[in-house]
């Protein structure tokens, strides 16, 4: 029976666009410096390097342990979440996830990647942290965000988790996920950003900052000319249409299947999608998956 109140279970959602914990969200960008950079406050110091956090987005890679970035982003997430909990030193169990289709092949290597140092000392925003990583538990991405509400999934349901890099889809039938019906596609929000950028360059001759494009996708509008807005809206509608077309390939039928969207891409469905709100639900809590990882980890440790 797990009842150690001295151990912090911290869920981290390692997105290609944003990192999420229960209480924090920040961009998945990392820039490395040999000396402390003159600008920026979100600076992590680890060993003899300085890392500026939140600049840009993490480049899509098929294996999250393929470089050092996600380890540095994990340390940042730990610092931010521990600060929320009023701590700078803690024993920690990390609760994380991988796209469903990658889980079997990458679970162990991702765990070892995050546990390469069981005691980690670093500074974030000039504050020292000391973290003892006792264990890493790896769960299926997306499903974790609704795992605590399985009672609502009566009949046939489809859950689509749209992140920045991938879309993960799983069927949930009568409160249970289908082990034989899950999919991972490189159809995340960044694909929409790329399409918008390319179309703007072709039709308008210039491209705004990605930050403006991202805000447009979140809010559905932007303070730019109608010419640019039209191009951006057209591409956003095309992208959302492609999402529904892909789900249809996986036997999505709106008359028979209740559809749920989770993840940052849910705002695009809301702003640019055509759907029956009685048959489609958008889960807006961007931290839902990180919270779900913690709940799943607590259940595992309780039964250990």
């Amino acid at each position: 029976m797990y009842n150690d109140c001295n151990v912090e279970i911290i869920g981290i959602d390692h997105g290609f666009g944003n990192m999420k914990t229960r209480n924090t969200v920040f961009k998945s960008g990392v820039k490395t410096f040999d000396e402390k950079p003159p600008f920026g406050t979100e600076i992590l110091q680890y060993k003899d390097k300085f890392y500026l956090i939140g600049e840009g987005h993490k480049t899509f890679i098929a294996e999250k342990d393929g470089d050092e970035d996600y380890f540095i982003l994990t340390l940042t997430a730990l610092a931010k979440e521990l600060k929320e909990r009023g701590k700078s030193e803690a024993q920690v169990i990390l609760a994380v996830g991988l796209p469903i289709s990658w889980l079997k092949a990458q679970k162990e290597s991702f765990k070892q990647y995050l546990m390469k140092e069981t005691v980690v000392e670093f500074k974030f925003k000039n504050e020292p942290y000391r973290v003892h990583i006792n264990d890493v538990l790896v769960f299926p991405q997306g499903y974790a965000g609704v795992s605590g509400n399985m009672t609502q999934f009566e009949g046939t349901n489809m859950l689509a988790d749209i992140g920045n890099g991938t879309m993960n889809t799983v069927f949930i039938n009568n409160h249970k996920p289908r082990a034989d019906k899950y999919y991972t596609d490189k159809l995340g929000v960044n694909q929409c950003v790329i399409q918008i950028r390319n179309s703007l360059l072709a039709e308008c001759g210039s491209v705004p900052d990605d930050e403006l494009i991202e805000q447009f996708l979140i809010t559905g509008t932007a303070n730019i000319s109608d010419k640019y807005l039209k191009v951006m809206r057209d591409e956003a509608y095309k992208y959302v249409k492609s999402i529904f077309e892909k789900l249809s390939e996986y036997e999505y039928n709106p008359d028979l299947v209740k559809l749920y969207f989770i993840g940052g891409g849910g705002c695009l469905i809301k702003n640019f999608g055509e759907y029956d709100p009685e048959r489609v639900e958008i889960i807006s809590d961007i931290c839902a998956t990180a919270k779900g990882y913690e709940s799943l980890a607590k259940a595992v440790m309780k039964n250990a």
Side-chain angles (χ1 to χ4, degrees), residues 1-276:
M1 180 71 69
Y2 172 75
N3 59 3
D4 191 344
C5 61
N6 294 317
V7 176
E8 297 287 334
I9 295 177
I10 297 182
I12 302 178
D13 183 1
H14 293 79
F16 290 104
N18 292 290
M19 296 284 291
K20 286 85 66 179
T21 68
R22 170 175 288 275
N23 296 298
T24 70
V25 180
F26 61 97
K27 285 188 176 181
S28 303
V30 179
K31 288 188 177 181
T32 308
F33 299 85
D34 292 326
E35 298 180 351
K36 187 175 181 179
F39 301 105
T41 59
E42 299 281 297
I43 297 172
L44 184 137
Q45 183 181 355
Y46 171 63
K47 295 186 176 178
D48 59 347
K49 298 289 185 181
F50 295 86
Y51 302 90
L52 184 59
I53 306 300
E55 294 291 315
H57 286 306
K58 181 76 181 77
T59 302
F60 178 87
I61 53 175
E63 296 183 357
K64 292 190 175 183
D65 57 358
D67 59 29
E68 184 82 352
D69 287 357
Y70 272 121
F71 183 74
I72 298 302
L73 291 168
T74 298
L75 298 185
T76 306
L78 285 169
K80 286 177 173 285
E81 183 63 26
L82 285 173
K83 186 172 182 63
E84 290 289 326
R85 303 185 188 192
K87 296 188 175 184
S88 60
E89 180 172 357
Q91 296 189 55
V92 168
I93 292 174
L94 289 179
V96 301
L98 288 169
I100 298 169
S101 297
W102 301 358
L103 192 64
K104 183 177 180 181
Q106 298 183 26
K107 179 178 181 179
E108 189 58 34
S109 63
F110 193 44
K111 175 178 179 176
Q112 295 305 316
Y113 169 80
L114 295 175
M115 287 194 72
K116 61 184 177 181
E117 291 188 45
T118 54
V119 180
V120 191
E121 295 183 352
F122 59 95
K123 289 183 178 180
F124 181 64
K125 300 177 73 171
N126 291 321
E127 294 187 23
Y129 290 86
R130 180 179 172 88
V131 179
H132 305 246
I133 302 177
N134 291 357
D135 200 0
V136 176
L137 303 178
V138 187
F139 300 101
Q141 190 173 306
Y143 159 72
V146 299
S147 59
N149 301 308
M150 283 291 103
T151 54
Q152 78 181 61
F153 290 90
E154 295 182 354
T156 304
N157 307 272
M158 179 181 274
L159 174 69
D161 176 15
I162 307 176
N164 194 63
T166 61
M167 178 175 76
N168 291 278
T169 309
V170 61
F171 274 85
I172 302 175
N173 291 359
N174 292 320
H175 321 300
K176 295 181 180 179
R178 286 280 301 272
D180 59 336
K181 298 191 76 172
Y182 58 86
Y183 314 93
T184 298
D185 296 285
K186 189 180 178 182
L187 199 58
V189 175
N190 190 52
Q191 297 302 307
C192 183
V193 174
I194 292 171
Q195 292 168 15
I196 288 174
R197 195 186 298 127
N198 290 342
S199 292
L200 285 173
L201 188 60
E203 298 186 36
C204 302
S206 61
V207 180
D209 291 340
D210 281 356
E211 186 174 348
L212 186 146
I213 296 175
E214 291 165 7
Q215 285 301 309
F216 162 77
L217 296 176
I218 292 171
T219 63
T221 189
N223 186 19
I224 54 177
S225 72
D226 290 342
K227 178 182 178 181
Y228 280 76
L229 272 178
K230 182 180 184 306
V231 174
M232 293 167 70
R233 285 190 181 123
D234 287 347
E235 291 305 322
Y237 282 120
K238 288 178 187 176
Y239 168 77
V240 172
K241 183 179 180 182
S242 73
I243 291 289
F244 280 95
E245 288 174 348
K246 177 58 68 174
L247 296 178
S248 294
E249 291 179 20
Y250 299 144
E251 301 179 0
Y252 167 60
N253 181 333
D255 294 325
L256 302 176
V257 178
K258 180 74 179 287
L259 177 60
Y260 295 82
F261 287 102
I262 193 171
C267 60
L268 276 80
I269 305 301
K270 179 180 179 180
N271 293 330
F272 307 106
E274 297 181 2
Y275 57 89
D276 179 358

